């Protein structure tokens, strides 16, 4: 009789332990900023050479990819724990709000409209809006010359708004789903110019198959401070990402990433901005 009681008690303890273990294993991937063997999903662009590009063999390259990987490592995640998810310009706030991604590093310019919906860590790069034209283009010498020209940009980006509202109100704005589509239109003469940040344009112009076909106009039409987008109110994650970015700059990894991704295009980057100084 005593043996049965002990056995029953042991079984109850074992069942309780197994139940606790099972409950502990159901944590959602990426919910913790501390890693610990979990997975993390990060939003990036996959069609921007030099910034964020998915190669035919399934690998990811670019400055934003390097920045995101560095941050993830500082948060406790190995490269194998990272899932990169494409986030188009028009979908970035939604992806953050729904929890589809932990944070976004995708040439994400900080502005008031976005700050109303999400928070930003950083900034980690200062770019300038410019235009890319065909190499033989000679008539577009200033932003005003974009009036009555077919100008391509991506839906949801700040570039289209800047040009249409401030610089060339009569421009025939063509908004496409991605920059690659704009580039094809430029090459085929369906559009006259492509506008976005100079860092992105330099990446395209430096690709082997496009060398000699396009050129940057050299217009510094705006300041674009790239930030790491994250869920509004997540002060702890923001603090940790800012610390990771500060370390990336101080240990030389930031400069190394800039040269590796933009150097071949002769892109003259601005110095690293002050981390934590959210400017618009």
């Amino acid at each position: 009789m005593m043996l049965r009681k002990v056995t029953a008690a042991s079984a109850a303890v074992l069942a309780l332990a197994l139940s606790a273990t099972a409950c502990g294993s159901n944590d959602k991937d990426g919910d913790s900023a501390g890693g610990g063997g979990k997975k993390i999903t990060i939003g990036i662009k996959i069609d921007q050479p030099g910034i964020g590009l998915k190669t035919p063999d399934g690998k990811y390259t670019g400055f934003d990819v390097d920045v995101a990987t560095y941050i993830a490592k500082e948060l406790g995640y190995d490269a194998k724990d990272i899932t990169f998810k494409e986030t188009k310009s028009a979908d970035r706030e939604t992806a953050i709000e729904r929890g589809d991604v932990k944070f976004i590093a995708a040439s994400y310019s900080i502005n008031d409209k976005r700050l109303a919906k999400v928070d930003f860590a950083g900034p980690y790069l200062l770019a300038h809006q410019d235009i890319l034209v065909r190499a033989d283009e000679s008539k577009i010498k200033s932003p005003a010359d974009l009036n009555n020209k077919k100008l391509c940009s991506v839906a949801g980006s700040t570039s289209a708004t800047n040009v249409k509202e401030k610089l060339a109100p009569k421009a025939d704005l063509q908004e496409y789903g991605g920059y690659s589509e704009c580039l094809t239109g430029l090459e085929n003469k369906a559009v006259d110019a492509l506008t976005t940040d100079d860092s992105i344009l330099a990446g395209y112009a430096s690709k082997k198959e496009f060398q000699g076909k396009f050129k940057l106009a050299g217009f510094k039409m705006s300041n674009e401070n790239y930030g790491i987008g994250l869920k509004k109110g997540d002060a702890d994650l923001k603090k940790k990402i800012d610390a990771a970015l500060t370390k990336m700059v101080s240990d030389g990894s930031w400069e190394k990433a800039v040269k590796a991704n933009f150097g071949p295009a002769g892109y003259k980057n601005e110095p690293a901005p002050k981390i934590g100084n959210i400017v618009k």
Side-chain angles (χ1 to χ4, degrees):
M1 182 66 71
M2 182 64 71
L3 180 59
R4 285 198 195 94
K5 289 182 178 179
V6 172
T7 302
S10 300
V13 172
L14 178 60
L16 183 61
L18 289 173
S19 176
T21 301
C23 290
S25 66
N26 286 332
D27 290 341
K28 185 179 179 182
D29 286 349
D31 276 355
S32 169
K38 297 180 182 180
K39 305 293 183 181
I40 185 170
T41 302
I42 302 172
I44 60 167
K45 293 292 183 68
I46 65 170
D47 66 343
Q48 294 180 352
I51 295 288
L53 182 70
K54 185 177 182 179
T55 59
D57 60 359
K59 295 181 180 180
Y60 297 91
T61 65
F63 181 70
D64 280 352
V65 174
D66 290 343
V67 170
T69 302
Y70 190 99
I71 292 171
K73 182 179 179 181
E74 290 301 303
L75 295 178
Y77 298 93
D78 293 329
K80 61 181 176 60
D81 299 324
I82 301 172
T83 296
F84 286 118
K85 181 180 180 66
E86 180 186 14
T87 48
K88 292 182 179 295
S89 295
D91 300 331
R92 288 178 293 205
E93 287 83 35
T94 301
I96 292 172
E97 292 171 340
R98 277 197 314 236
D100 295 343
V101 296
K102 191 66 176 179
F103 64 82
I104 288 179
S107 54
Y108 203 0
S109 299
I110 301 169
N111 62 38
D112 287 331
K113 184 177 180 180
R114 291 168 180 168
L115 281 168
K117 296 181 178 180
V118 301
D119 279 342
F120 285 95
Y124 64 94
L125 184 71
L126 172 58
H128 302 286
Q129 185 180 350
D130 201 353
I131 66 166
L132 190 70
V133 294
R134 289 180 290 275
D136 60 357
E137 174 61 59
S138 59
K139 295 181 180 180
I140 301 177
K141 299 178 180 179
S142 71
D145 293 331
L146 294 170
N147 283 307
N148 301 315
K149 297 287 186 180
K150 290 183 178 179
L151 177 67
C152 190
S153 190
V154 172
S157 73
T158 58
S159 302
T161 303
N162 286 340
V163 171
K164 192 68 177 176
E165 293 183 357
K166 302 176 182 178
L167 302 170
K170 294 182 180 180
D172 181 6
L173 189 61
Q174 309 285 315
E175 292 186 295
Y176 289 7
Y179 293 109
S180 295
E181 297 170 44
C182 282
L183 198 68
T184 299
L186 182 60
E187 186 174 22
N188 296 334
K189 298 186 178 181
V191 296
D192 300 303
L194 159 60
T195 185
T196 188
D197 302 341
D198 51 8
S199 56
I200 299 172
L201 296 175
Y204 282 121
S206 67
K207 289 189 71 176
K208 187 175 181 180
E209 62 267 36
F210 296 136
Q211 289 178 4
K213 292 183 178 181
F214 308 114
K215 64 182 179 182
L216 275 77
F219 306 152
K220 290 187 176 182
M221 297 185 285
S222 69
N223 293 331
E224 304 296 333
N225 284 283
Y226 290 177
I228 302 295
L230 60 144
K231 196 168 185 178
K232 198 159 188 66
D234 197 341
D236 182 59
L237 181 59
K238 179 178 178 178
K239 181 178 179 181
K240 290 178 179 179
I241 293 178
D242 277 342
L245 291 171
T246 299
K247 182 179 178 181
M248 187 177 186
V249 172
S250 65
D251 71 10
S253 298
W254 184 90
E255 187 67 28
K256 182 179 179 181
V258 167
K259 290 180 179 179
N261 291 290
F262 302 132
Y267 172 69
K268 296 180 180 179
N269 64 284
E270 300 281 2
K274 184 179 179 180
I275 309 301
N277 182 25
I278 300 300
V279 290
K280 304 176 283 293

